[in-house]
Amino acid sequence: MTVWVYVPIVLSAALALLAGPIAARSAPAAGALALAGAALTAAVTSTASLILLVATLIDDLPPPLVARNEPGRPQLPQPVPDVIAITAIVLLMIALVRCGTDVRRRGEVHRRLREAGRPGEGGVVIADWAAPYAVAVPGRPGHVLLTTGLIRLLTPAERRVVLAHEQSHLSRRHHRITAAAAVAAALNPLLIPVRDAVSYLVERWADEDAAAAVGDRHLTARSVAKAALATLDRPAGAPDSSPGRGSGVNGMHGARQSHALSRVRAMTTPAPRANRAGLIALGLLSLAFIVTDAAATSDFITFAAAWLP
Amino acid sequence: MSEGRRAPGALESEVMAALWAAGRELTPAEVQSALGSTLAYNTVLTILGRLHDKGRLIRRPAGRGHVYWPAEDEAVFAAQTMRATLTGRPDRERVLQQFAAALDDADAAALRAFLEADRP
């Protein structure tokens, strides 16, 4: 085996480094789709690398099944050290468990929140709850869940922004894009920054749609700022009686980066143009994942052919 | 913006939100002004009638017309469902496209400054 098998893993780290700068400079729709696509490619190829590394353990099978190095004959190709192969097994197990957990939890939350609306209703469902929430619940047709806590903070025009933002999530099926990025990050934790960049761009995308719908970028910026500050005053996860700081949304998310300020800033400047350099970089990187994965697979086939009788 | 650009159902959503924001029963004229837009009175009346037919609004005669308020069962049920699904579970919140969440102190200060500076 040569180094090719490790390259998708190294490239995943490179993609993670690129994700932030690209997200900051991209038009949201193209950026979200390109980053999610690159993340999926990275996750699939780096998982394939782990599988190849595990498969190199075939040289440890007993002799009737595999060949043996014999004096006087050319040496069989070297497998990777067993310690690496064993590590790959562990990483692969963790990846599959994380992926299963993410998919199950996502499905469960969406299914339970769909029950909050009436079947086939569409439109908005209002929850009489003081915590400030606005959530797009995907489905057919899907609905927007708003809490009275949020509604009462906003002016009629700001409520229109929130509704248009959530409708954008539903009609553009943003949950598929974020789910793809989340599965990629579950399979390969190096991609967590890419997942976060995708979720930022998807919010930006809905902000741009909302601004277009109400015809006012500044109003959109105000609405985002107000709603974000509301979650601070009354963390959504805290009980109504004790909206304590450091618990609820803010405390729970801990390391999770806030996007609200960047979104507000982006709305106070003109809509970004397509970032061609960023998209080309992502395209080339995705291609590199596929090429190195192919090279690693071909390496493995050579290796296996030599060892198997 | 022109009213025609709204997504279908968007007006119904706005009317529901306006009634909930008011927190009391409203006449169609009050709904019209609570929407803060240039919607025609007859349009508001049509939407109120449609929402009443769907059972999402309750009304009683008052003066020469009706006053309307939201059917609360639906909102209480939705709140219970949300609370049971989300409360205290950061991993569950993460799967949602939330309008805004997770703010640190520095960002909060910057957002407050933005809203302050922006005040008309």
Side-chain angles (χ1 to χ4, degrees):
Chain A
M1 295 295 284
T2 62
V3 296
W4 287 119
V5 72
Y6 303 107
V7 177
I9 297 165
V10 175
L11 286 179
S12 299
L15 176 60
L17 288 176
L18 274 178
I22 286 179
R25 286 171 189 78
S26 288
L33 290 170
L35 271 175
L40 269 187
T41 313
V44 168
T45 54
S46 57
T47 304
S49 281
L50 290 183
I51 293 172
L52 290 180
L53 287 171
V54 172
T56 60
L57 286 173
I58 54 168
D59 73 311
D60 290 334
L61 292 173
L65 292 172
V66 292
R68 245 191 311 196
N69 272 320
E70 281 163 29
R73 296 186 55 186
Q75 285 280 301
L76 289 164
Q78 281 293 309
V80 299
D82 279 359
V83 62
I84 290 182
I86 304 282
T87 309
I89 292 182
V90 174
L91 291 177
L92 200 56
M93 304 283 251
I94 294 174
L96 292 178
V97 169
R98 279 169 52 93
C99 185
T101 307
D102 186 87
V103 169
R104 187 160 31 81
R105 202 156 281 163
R106 198 166 292 273
E108 184 192 299
V109 169
H110 286 161
R111 183 175 48 73
R112 291 184 61 173
L113 288 183
R114 267 199 292 279
E115 288 165 9
R118 288 189 264 180
E121 175 112 62
V124 70
V125 174
I126 290 166
D128 192 8
W129 189 12
Y133 264 112
V135 170
V137 184
R140 294 194 177 81
H143 62 255
V144 176
L145 255 178
L146 289 183
T147 61
T148 49
L150 184 70
I151 287 174
R152 289 181 179 147
L153 283 169
L154 303 175
T155 66
E158 289 162 352
R159 289 200 292 268
R160 272 203 289 282
V161 172
V162 175
L163 284 169
H165 173 106
E166 300 301 336
Q167 277 302 332
S168 159
H169 283 324
L170 291 181
S171 60
R172 300 209 187 263
R173 307 224 156 258
H174 283 162
H175 65 284
R176 292 186 181 167
I177 302 169
T178 47
V183 163
L187 283 173
N188 179 350
L190 289 172
L191 300 170
I192 287 172
V194 187
R195 174 196 73 194
D196 292 346
V198 169
S199 85
Y200 166 70
L201 285 170
V202 161
E203 293 305 319
R204 282 274 303 114
W205 187 349
D207 285 345
E208 291 290 347
D209 279 351
V214 300
D216 189 341
R217 297 176 69 78
H218 204 79
L219 174 66
T220 307
R222 280 189 67 85
S223 311
V224 173
K226 263 175 123 173
L229 284 170
T231 65
L232 193 65
D233 295 338
R234 185 186 268 283
D240 288 339
S241 52
S242 60
R245 280 270 200 110
S247 63
V249 172
N250 312 295
M252 291 191 305
H253 283 294
R256 188 183 164 211
Q257 220 189 339
S258 164
H259 298 146
L261 185 58
S262 316
R263 283 166 58 197
V264 168
R265 289 199 169 132
M267 270 295 142
T268 55
T269 54
R273 300 236 220 102
N275 170 12
R276 203 183 285 175
L279 294 182
I280 291 173
L282 287 176
L284 288 176
L285 201 53
S286 298
L287 197 64
F289 277 110
I290 294 167
V291 169
T292 53
D293 192 44
T297 307
S298 136
D299 265 2
F300 177 77
I301 290 169
T302 312
F303 165 80
W307 280 86
L308 296 173
Chain B
M1 74 179 266
S2 67
E3 307 299 346
R5 284 176 60 198
R6 284 189 174 87
L11 285 175
E12 288 185 16
S13 301
E14 284 179 40
V15 168
M16 289 301 293
L19 279 160
W20 271 108
R24 62 179 178 86
E25 48 188 34
L26 297 181
T27 65
E30 286 171 324
V31 172
Q32 186 188 17
S33 74
L35 287 173
S37 67
T38 55
L39 222 52
Y41 180 79
N42 278 337
T43 311
V44 174
L45 220 83
T46 308
I47 296 164
L48 286 170
R50 205 183 299 153
L51 286 167
H52 175 256
D53 291 344
K54 287 184 183 174
R56 304 193 70 195
L57 291 183
I58 296 169
R59 72 179 180 195
R60 64 174 179 83
R64 294 168 64 189
H66 290 94
V67 287
Y68 294 81
W69 69 97
E72 289 176 21
D73 296 359
E74 176 184 282
V76 169
F77 175 72
Q80 281 166 354
T81 310
M82 274 184 97
R83 212 187 281 246
T85 311
L86 301 177
T87 301
R89 299 291 295 267
D91 54 339
R92 291 183 168 188
E93 290 193 1
R94 205 173 55 64
V95 311
L96 295 170
Q97 262 116 38
Q98 270 205 78
F99 187 67
L103 208 57
D104 65 27
D105 287 346
D107 282 4
L111 287 178
R112 282 201 191 91
F114 166 76
L115 287 174
E116 255 340 284
D118 195 49
R119 193 149 290 168

